[in-house]
Amino acid sequence: MAAGFLLTALLAIAFALAGLIQYQITAAVIKFSAAEYTDYVSKAGFVTRFCKDYDVSDEAKVDSLEDHGSGDGSDPAEEGSEEEGRHYYPVIRVPLTEDRRWELNLYEAFVWGSLVGPLIGGFLVPRLGPKRVIEGGLLGASAATLLVPAAWFTASHYALSVTQGVCTSMIWPAAHVLAYRWYSQVERTTVISFYAAWTAGWAVAVLIAGPIADSLGRDAVFYFTSLAVVCWYIAWQRYVPDSAPIPPNISWTERSLINTASDEPTSADGVLSYLPFLGHLLCAVLLGKLADHYRAHLVSTTTVRKILVYISHFLPGAIIFVIGYTGCDPSTPAALFVASLGLTGAMAAGVYTSALEISPRYCSAVLGFVQSIGAWGALASTYVIREGLYGSLPGTWTLVFGLCFMVMVVSAGIFLIFGSGTEQQWNEPEAPIVTLLTFEQANSNDLNNQQHELHQSNQNLEVIEQMNRKNQVFTT
């Protein structure tokens, strides 16, 4: 049991380090002091930007939008003004700074790597084992992180971001196989919930990147991350064996499958910067523990998974939709954002665990495929956010919340209709009756061969007798 707890802790740290590697791009490019974070959030979009008077000469005001009435709306007016039945509202395009542009491009490169990383991980797990894929993925991402200062804001920086995305996303399918081999069925949901430690890495990046960059320089952020990965690797090698111990309470069916399976951190604005990520992790762990309890005593596994998918998609989707219409008080959308991201923590105990349950034998391939498809959504979101804030679609920012709500509801609805928490038929190999038939066929073939040989012997005897008769006649 102690070994299981230690493995869970090291696995959670691995996901946290992967999240740190991903989010340090933002944390190093844009340092979040309390004042800077408030300004960044106000420009990033989930605090409404239409709640103050705008100067016509402001460079952020690029056009005006006619709400209703007659006329062509070609003459811009101040916000809320009314002239001959026309209402005009400023269409705000947030200035895209050079740092912000690099941040978006680097994040997009990271997501491109996340498209293929899970597939590569699913391919390597049956050949190298889950332990080696996890350690190899983090060490590869750490090596790329170590080279970032030398390639800062160059074409090579993009290549390193792609490499980081590939390597960190490889650990998802490998962790699934590790959870299946090391833990009994009643413990797996809790363990998989710790995948949400990825967001804890984001929180750590927000907390430490600013102070480290201020005291030791920007490059120290990346050196610190690489050093943390090396320390984790030492503990991983020391305490995690290559093969998993078989729990004494595991069934003989599972036993046979396991053998063959393949700056101001205490201020209000500072807390707000990492509270959503920590809330996501805590919610994931709590719901995972509750799911294991209720699945073992009250309801079926499929019912538990569908309830968790409802919590992780419908409720956050509804909250996100409301955020776009919460008015001018920044505390309201901020609180709703924290609640929404926290509820999505149920995804680990819902969708991720279901991928293991429907096919323990091919769980790495199933989760790799799911993660790769999900990366397309992250890639599309970067385009929508960039164009909605800085590009060709100004004034449509509130539509982003509605689009996010629709995507979450539709995807959750598909799972509620077709999803399952039970092992599928295609997970099992072909029935062993083939061996029995082969044995019977072998016996039948042996009997036929014996009869054929006997018949040949009889024929040979008849030929010999005929020759003997002929010899006798000839002699006479």
Side-chain angles (χ1 to χ4, degrees):
M1 182 175 295
F5 287 145
L6 184 58
L7 175 62
T8 303
L10 290 174
L11 196 61
I13 294 174
F15 277 98
L17 289 173
L20 175 60
I21 291 173
Q22 176 188 4
Y23 206 76
Q24 68 181 353
I25 298 172
T26 297
V29 174
I30 303 178
K31 296 183 297 182
F32 291 104
S33 66
E36 290 170 340
Y37 182 77
T38 303
D39 181 66
Y40 170 76
V41 165
S42 65
K43 293 180 178 179
F46 71 82
V47 173
T48 309
R49 303 192 309 275
F50 300 97
C51 299
K52 63 180 181 179
D53 293 332
Y54 291 92
D55 187 0
V56 178
S57 62
D58 190 354
E59 63 176 355
K61 181 179 181 299
V62 297
D63 202 352
S64 62
L65 179 67
E66 183 178 356
D67 185 29
H68 62 80
S70 60
D72 56 4
S74 58
D75 296 330
E78 293 293 324
E79 177 184 5
S81 67
E82 181 175 354
E83 180 182 358
E84 298 181 357
R86 303 191 189 105
H87 295 270
Y88 295 95
Y89 300 92
V91 178
I92 305 301
R93 179 185 289 127
V94 178
L96 179 58
T97 63
E98 185 67 14
D99 285 346
R100 179 61 173 163
R101 183 180 67 84
W102 271 99
E103 179 209 355
L104 290 173
N105 292 338
L106 291 172
Y107 176 76
E108 186 175 350
F110 186 95
V111 174
W112 275 111
S114 300
L115 287 174
V116 297
L119 300 179
I120 297 176
F123 175 80
L124 293 178
V125 166
R127 293 159 177 81
L128 302 178
K131 178 189 174 184
R132 295 186 182 277
V133 173
I134 291 175
E135 65 189 29
L138 271 185
L139 288 177
S142 175
T145 301
L146 199 60
L147 297 175
V148 165
W152 189 256
F153 283 9
T154 64
S156 299
H157 200 168
Y158 290 114
L160 292 174
S161 295
V162 174
T163 304
Q164 290 174 325
V166 172
C167 293
T168 55
S169 58
M170 286 169 52
I171 71 176
W172 288 88
H176 245 36
V177 176
L178 201 68
Y180 176 70
R181 292 183 178 180
W182 272 77
Y183 299 93
S184 63
Q185 187 175 4
V186 296
E187 300 171 326
R188 290 171 188 160
T189 307
T190 303
V191 174
I192 293 175
S193 299
F194 280 95
Y195 292 5
W198 189 292
T199 59
W202 299 351
V204 172
V206 173
L207 285 172
I208 69 172
I212 291 179
D214 289 337
S215 58
L216 301 176
R218 181 202 65 214
D219 296 348
V221 177
F222 303 97
Y223 299 146
F224 172 83
T225 303
S226 299
L227 179 61
V229 173
V230 171
C231 294
W232 169 88
Y233 174 73
I234 295 174
W236 181 262
Q237 287 292 324
R238 174 65 177 83
Y239 297 108
V240 180
D242 291 330
S243 59
I246 300 179
N249 59 341
I250 199 168
S251 67
W252 282 103
T253 302
E254 288 187 317
R255 189 183 296 262
S256 62
L257 287 175
I258 287 176
N259 292 331
T260 58
S262 61
D263 307 312
E264 294 177 1
T266 58
S267 64
D269 292 312
V271 172
L272 183 62
S273 63
Y274 59 83
L275 184 60
F277 309 132
L278 295 181
H280 178 90
L281 173 60
L282 294 176
C283 185
V285 175
L286 176 61
L287 290 176
K289 190 65 176 178
L290 291 175
D292 279 337
H293 173 74
Y294 287 111
R295 185 170 60 91
H297 299 90
L298 295 178
V299 295
S300 67
T301 300
T302 299
T303 301
V304 170
R305 301 302 170 221
K306 291 186 176 182
I307 292 174
L308 290 170
V309 169
Y310 178 86
I311 294 174
S312 65
H313 286 72
F314 276 93
L315 298 183
I319 293 175
I320 289 174
F321 182 78
V322 173
I323 287 178
Y325 306 93
T326 50
C328 303
D329 183 9
S331 61
T332 301
L336 291 176
F337 180 74
V338 172
S340 176
L341 189 58
L343 289 173
T344 58
M347 189 180 303
V351 176
Y352 293 158
T353 309
S354 177
L356 186 150
E357 290 168 339
I358 63 174
S359 178
R361 184 178 298 273
Y362 307 111
C363 58
S364 61
V366 172
L367 186 63
F369 177 76
V370 171
Q371 286 292 104
S372 182
I373 294 297
W376 283 105
L379 192 62
S381 68
T382 59
Y383 172 79
V384 174
I385 292 174
R386 175 183 295 159
E387 296 301 320
L389 281 177
Y390 315 107
S392 60
L393 303 173
T396 61
W397 178 243
T398 54
L399 297 180
V400 174
F401 299 105
L403 179 62
C404 180
F405 170 73
M406 290 179 59
V407 170
M408 297 186 73
V409 168
V410 171
S411 59
I414 294 175
F415 185 90
L416 293 179
I417 297 174
F418 302 104
S420 175
T422 58
E423 185 176 322
Q424 301 299 297
Q425 184 177 3
W426 47 265
N427 177 71
E428 292 293 337
E430 294 182 358
I433 191 173
V434 174
T435 304
L436 180 61
L437 291 177
T438 302
F439 178 75
E440 293 177 350
Q441 291 174 354
N443 287 339
S444 177
N445 290 336
D446 290 341
L447 181 60
N448 292 334
N449 291 334
Q450 292 176 3
Q451 292 177 348
H452 178 71
E453 291 176 358
L454 181 61
H455 180 69
Q456 291 291 337
S457 299
N458 293 334
Q459 287 182 343
N460 292 336
L461 289 175
E462 291 179 358
V463 171
I464 292 173
E465 290 180 357
Q466 291 177 359
M467 291 180 63
N468 288 336
R469 292 193 191 99
K470 291 180 179 179
N471 288 335
Q472 291 177 357
V473 172
F474 177 78
T475 302
T476 303

